[in-house]
Amino acid sequence: MSNEPYRIVAIPLQADPPVVAGMRFQDLIWPAASIALDVFLSRHGKWLEPALDIERALILSGGISLAMVRIQSRSLPAWLMVIGVFLCRPRRYLP
């Protein structure tokens, strides 16, 4: 045995750690994108104030639901990708 100190080896994580409210970094893009879309539409839209409030609520709730809702440990954008790949792949039929 040697008198050298033990080496600490980092073990890679199996899953990304949650950052805010159970969301990972890749999930935080959806609320950020919804806030950016809301700012863009509120500055360039010529709507009345009550319509803007409804629009803000819908866009923000959509962004948060895209980030937080998980079905069988997959997020909604991942499920949309699975559905899109399934629908776009070629079909093979036996005669």
Side-chain angles (χ1 to χ4, degrees):
M1 287 185 80
S2 66
N3 290 334
E4 295 179 16
Y6 292 106
R7 288 181 35 178
I8 298 174
V9 179
I11 299 173
L13 299 173
Q14 293 292 331
D16 296 333
V19 179
V20 176
M23 292 186 286
R24 301 173 304 198
F25 277 119
Q26 65 190 26
D27 296 332
L28 290 176
I29 189 69
W30 298 110
S34 68
I35 290 171
L37 179 65
D38 179 40
V39 168
F40 177 77
L41 289 178
S42 65
R43 294 218 177 177
H44 297 294
K46 300 192 183 334
W47 299 333
L48 297 175
E49 197 63 33
L52 277 176
D53 291 340
I54 293 171
E55 174 256 340
R56 286 181 185 132
L58 288 175
I59 289 177
L60 190 59
S61 64
I64 290 175
S65 67
L66 280 175
M68 295 188 78
V69 172
R70 297 206 174 277
I71 302 170
Q72 294 183 354
S73 72
R74 285 189 181 178
S75 63
L76 286 181
W79 277 112
L80 292 175
M81 178 65 80
V82 167
I83 292 169
V85 167
F86 176 76
L87 292 176
C88 292
R89 73 177 185 192
R91 305 287 192 267
R92 295 187 186 126
Y93 297 103
L94 295 173

